[in-house]
Every structure is written in C-alpha cells, then in structure tokens.
Amino acid sequence: MKYRREFFRQLIHASGIIFIIISTHLNSLQMLLLSVLAAAAGEVIFRIDRIHYIPLLSGILRGCRRNTSERGFIYYFLGMAVTYAIFGFSMDIANGAIVILTLGDSFSTIIGREYGKHRLPFNRDKSIEGSLAFAFSGFIGALFITGPLPALTGAVTGALVEAYTPVEDNLTIPVFTGAAILLSGHIMGAPSLL
C-alpha cells in the first residue's frame, strides 16, 4: 500500500473498538472516567516519548504519527469522554457515535488517500471516495448497536462533520453523530434505538 504509515495509524485508531466491547461491562460514568484516564495516559506517554524512548510504546507512537506535535489519539479519547458525558443516558447512542467515529474516520482516511480522485466541494483536501467510505463503514458498524435509521443518519452526519469541521474531528464527530442518532430515534418514536 502506498500509504503504509497512514494505514498503520488508522489500524491503531480502529482498535478503539475495544472501548465499545469494554462498555458492555461498565456504565457510562465508568466509561467516561476510563476515557479521561486513557487521554491522560496518552499525554504522559507523549511527553515522556519526546525525551526518552519507551520500549514498544515509542515505536508505535513514532511509527504512526504524522508529525512530532500531533495529539490526535489524545483528542480521540477526549471525544469519547465528551460523548459518554453527553449521551451516557443511552449507551446505544454513545457507543453508536463512537463506533461511527472509530470506523468511519479510519476507513475514510485509508480509502480517501489511496483511491480518492474526486475532491469534495468546499474542501479540496477531502475526497468523495473517502466520505463515502466513512458513511458506509460507520453505517455498518452502527447497525450492530442501533437501528437502521439512526445508524444511517449518524453515519452520514459523521461523514459531513469529518469533511467540513474546522476543529479537531475526534471531538466534533461523536458529538454531532450522537445528536443525529438521538434525533432520528425520536423521529422514529423509539425509546430504544434497537
């Protein structure tokens, strides 16, 4: 693959699915605390790595970051924490938003960088192919957690936010996606999204 480093980086990003699995055994407050702890640990590892090589961790961190100041993985965990704080009253909504972020963001980057030929209007840095990959993979992932309409509206919302957000997408995608899942669940009149 042409973008081997980016592929490895997105594979690490997609491993966030582990948090969805863990959430089946914990409540939303525990998941919020776990996410904050993961963000704090990530920041500590990031700072230590700038001074000293940490066996295994430095190799992973240096092998997948785009530049020496990048903290995307920390924002990822903070985005999860915010999502559990806002939507923790429904783990289906929170986990649906997080799985869309996790899978959608990973697949959009892999497909967009490798196969993206058609640029999006108003954002020449993103491609239609990448956005479609986001929506499709996010939709498929969310179907395991929510119903079809919430999965679809969440995935499409996430793809649009990823393409056009002016701020860190690891923070904005799950918040807007969770709101879309919640809204579509209300439109369906379903107390449960399943």
Side-chain angles (χ1 to χ4, degrees), residues 36-106:
V36 170
L37 181 63
E43 181 65 21
V44 169
I45 291 166
F46 177 83
R47 289 177 180 265
I48 293 172
D49 175 64
R50 296 184 83 169
I51 302 165
H52 301 290
Y53 184 86
I54 307 166
L56 182 63
L57 295 177
S58 288
I60 293 170
L61 185 63
R62 294 175 186 186
C64 66
R65 67 183 172 205
R66 292 179 184 140
N67 59 58
T68 57
S69 63
E70 183 195 21
R71 288 181 162 91
F73 65 98
I74 296 168
Y75 290 119
Y76 173 78
F77 292 124
L78 289 176
M80 286 176 51
V82 170
T83 304
Y84 284 118
I86 296 172
F87 302 108
F89 62 89
S90 169
M91 290 298 274
D92 288 345
I93 295 171
N95 285 336
I98 291 167
V99 80
I100 289 170
L101 165 67
T102 302
L103 296 178
D105 203 23
S106 295

Side-chain angles (χ1 to χ4, degrees), residues 105-188:
D105 203 23
S106 295
F107 279 98
S108 70
T109 301
I110 291 168
I111 299 299
R113 288 186 182 236
E114 187 71 13
Y115 303 106
K117 303 286 187 257
H118 303 90
R119 300 288 110 192
L120 284 174
F122 311 112
N123 187 350
R124 307 303 291 169
D125 293 334
K126 304 284 183 175
S127 70
I128 292 171
E129 293 85 354
S131 292
L132 289 174
F134 185 112
F136 181 74
S137 61
F139 171 68
I140 296 299
L143 277 177
F144 288 94
I145 300 169
T146 72
L149 181 60
L152 181 62
T153 55
V156 170
T157 299
L160 290 170
V161 172
E162 193 270 340
Y164 294 109
T165 186
V167 296
E168 174 59 45
D169 66 358
N170 285 316
L171 296 173
T172 55
I173 290 170
V175 172
F176 283 96
T177 299
I181 292 170
L182 177 63
L183 182 60
S184 63
H186 280 298
I187 289 170
M188 290 174 27

